[in-house]
């Protein structure tokens, strides 16, 4: 078993205008950019908002459950939900991973990540290893992996500053590098390395191994600047291409193919595969958002959409634990 880590890379770009593809269907219409959707086998649907459009997160829901064409705050009003994505540590509180029990809609557990993050950290995704009880998180702000023992809550930070978790090239959208309002570029986007999870798990109990993990990292695929990934039941990885408005599929043997290309797929962020064999693609237009636009101007065009495309294969059991 391998853990795949996505960092930055520039593929060869063919920046001719993508056209629309009728296989791409509108699933949701939104006023606010979403950088993630999740479904459950029973048919519940959750939407994560990314307020890069200049709206204030304060007092507005970050996660909603989609019921009757409306976003209902989740898990409930009054519960301070700090979701794993786009959480930055302040002076008092570090990022947290929050577990919500879907049968009761109550917060079941909060993992404090303060000890394994830095002020510029951005914990933006997690994968689970049910066989060993470990979770693996990416720190996309600084460039590192975090190995979390889901039972004890203890976590370690590994591959900090390694090329596999760092800035191979900065992220880019619609053919242009993303820049902050002060002109800086951002770390970590495309180019994929992998490491066998047995080494991450062993490093959890062996600090000298933790310090020499880089020797077990292998290059895997020259993936493009991306907003997010998803893994299917056959172990293939779907990667959004934020320059070409496309979705690429990387087979377990490393071969890359384009699944779909469509001009509407503007910065597809974290994707999701539902049990009815659809790939969900939130077109977040993040590159047009306030943090990434020259002069801090919001260039996002509303309404925004979450799209789906049939891929003929269901989700990975470990992607959705
Ligand atoms: C959604 O619509 C159904 C059918 O009209 C209704 O029974 C249900 O109460 C609605 N749920 C919410 C949360 O509004
Ligand atoms: C963080 O580290 C301190 C000092 O080592 C320790 O006492 C504390 O339990 C740790 N907290 C977590 C959540 O791991
Ligand atoms: C810890 O890892 C080091 C480096 O890989 C290895 O030499 C050592 O045998 C390991 N210790 C244990 C107790 O497995
Ligand atoms: C990789 O796997 C895919 C899917 O099974 C297959 O179509 C392709 O030919 C393989 N490529 C190589 C180089 O083996």
């Amino acid at each position: 078993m391998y853990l795949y880590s996505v960092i930055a890379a520039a593929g060869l770009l063919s920046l001719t205008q993508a056209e629309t593809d009728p296989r791409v269907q509108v699933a949701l219409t939104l006023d606010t950019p979403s950088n993630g959707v999740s479904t459950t086998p029973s048919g519940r649907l959750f939407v994560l908002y990314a307020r890069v459009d200049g709206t204030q997160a304060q007092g507005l829901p970050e996660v909603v459950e989609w019921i009757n064409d409306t976003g209902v705050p989740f898990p409930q009003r009054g519960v301070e939900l700090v979701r794993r994505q786009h959480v930055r540590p302040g002076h008092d509180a570090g990022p947290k991973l929050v577990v919500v029990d879907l049968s009761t809609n109550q917060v079941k557990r909060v993992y404090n990540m303060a000890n394994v993050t830095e002020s510029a950290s951005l914990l933006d995704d997690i994968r689970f290893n049910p066989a060993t009880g470990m979770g693996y998180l990416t720190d996309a702000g600084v460039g590192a992996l975090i190995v979390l023992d889901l039972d004890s809550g203890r976590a370690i930070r590994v591959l900090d500053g390694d090329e596999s978790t760092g800035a191979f090239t900065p992220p880019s959208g619609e053919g242009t590098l993303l820049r902050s309002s002060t002109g800086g570029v951002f770390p970590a986007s495309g180019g994929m390395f992998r490491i066998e999870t047995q080494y991450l798990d062993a490093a959890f109990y062996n600090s000298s191994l933790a310090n020499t993990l880089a020797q077990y990292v292998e290059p895997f695929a020259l993936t493009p600047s991306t907003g997010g990934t998803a893994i299917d039941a056959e172990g293939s990885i779907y990667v959004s291409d934020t320059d070409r408005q496309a979705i690429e599929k990387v087979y377990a043997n490393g071969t890359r193919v384009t699944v779909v290309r469509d001009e509407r797929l503007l910065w597809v962020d974290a994707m999701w595969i539902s049990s009815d064999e659809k790939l969900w693609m939130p077109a977040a237009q993040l590159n047009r958002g306030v943090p990434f636009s020259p002069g801090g101007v919001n260039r996002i065009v509303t309404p925004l959409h979450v799209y789906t495309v049939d891929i003929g294969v269901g989700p990975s059991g470990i992607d959705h634990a």
Side-chain angles (χ1 to χ4, degrees):
M1 191 189 297
Y2 289 93
L3 179 81
Y4 293 82
S5 103
V6 177
I7 64 149
L12 282 175
L13 298 182
S14 129
L15 285 172
T16 53
Q17 182 69 39
E19 300 189 341
T20 57
D21 184 321
R23 294 175 299 157
V24 173
Q25 303 277 312
V26 174
L28 303 176
T29 299
L30 308 170
D31 297 326
T32 306
S34 163
N35 61 349
V37 293
S38 303
T39 59
T40 68
S42 68
R44 295 175 72 180
L45 170 65
F46 301 92
V47 176
L48 172 66
Y49 286 135
R51 297 194 179 275
V52 294
D53 56 351
T55 58
Q56 293 295 312
Q58 200 76 34
L60 292 171
E62 294 292 296
V63 181
V64 295
E65 181 167 5
W66 207 257
I67 304 173
N68 295 349
D69 287 327
T70 307
V72 178
F74 183 84
Q76 62 183 50
R77 280 189 199 284
V79 173
E80 188 206 351
L81 178 70
V82 192
R83 209 192 141 166
R84 61 181 189 248
Q85 209 162 8
H86 287 230
V87 177
R88 288 173 185 274
H91 290 294
D92 306 322
K96 297 173 180 65
L97 174 69
V98 178
V99 181
V100 177
D101 183 338
L102 289 179
S103 63
T104 60
N105 294 338
Q106 296 296 311
V107 173
K108 189 176 154 205
R109 183 154 185 187
V110 177
Y111 295 99
N112 190 332
M113 295 288 154
N115 279 3
V116 284
T117 49
E118 300 168 14
S119 61
S121 285
L122 176 61
L123 301 186
D124 76 332
D125 219 335
I126 186 168
R127 294 291 186 265
F128 300 97
N129 188 346
T132 62
M134 295 291 185
Y136 312 103
L137 296 96
T138 42
D139 182 344
V142 178
L145 294 184
I146 291 163
V147 183
L148 168 68
D149 179 348
L150 293 163
D151 184 33
S152 71
R154 192 171 81 87
I156 60 165
R157 184 178 178 88
V158 297
L159 296 173
D160 198 343
D162 188 63
E163 66 168 358
S164 60
T165 58
F168 194 76
T169 68
S172 172
E174 298 178 67
T176 304
L177 285 186
L178 266 60
R179 293 190 184 276
S180 68
S181 54
T182 54
V185 295
F186 296 89
S189 176
M192 193 178 287
F193 292 77
R194 68 181 184 179
I195 183 169
E196 285 196 58
T197 52
Q198 61 161 316
Y199 298 117
L200 297 177
D201 295 347
F204 193 81
Y205 303 103
N206 182 338
S207 58
S208 60
L209 176 60
N211 291 329
T212 55
L213 268 183
Q215 65 185 297
Y216 300 107
V217 171
E218 310 162 46
F220 181 62
L222 187 61
T223 47
S225 171
T226 188
T229 61
I231 308 176
D232 73 19
E234 294 165 357
S236 295
I237 302 177
Y238 298 77
V239 179
S240 75
D241 181 333
T242 51
D243 278 318
R244 292 175 61 243
Q245 287 72 62
I247 305 299
E248 304 215 334
K249 176 176 181 176
V250 187
Y251 289 102
N253 62 13
T255 296
R256 245 170 82 193
V257 296
T258 297
V259 175
V260 68
R261 197 169 169 214
D262 185 308
E263 64 185 14
R264 296 169 293 173
L265 299 179
L266 287 164
W267 198 283
V268 169
D269 218 88
M271 290 176 282
W272 186 262
I273 299 172
S274 48
S275 44
D276 58 356
E277 306 188 338
K278 287 190 166 104
L279 181 70
W280 292 67
M281 303 171 286
Q285 302 181 32
L286 281 200
N287 57 306
R288 299 179 174 193
V290 171
F292 313 112
S293 270
V297 178
N298 176 31
R299 294 184 299 117
I300 288 172
V301 178
T302 55
L304 297 103
H305 298 287
V306 177
Y307 298 97
T308 57
V309 64
D310 282 324
I311 53 171
V313 56
S316 159
I318 58 172
D319 197 18
H320 283 199

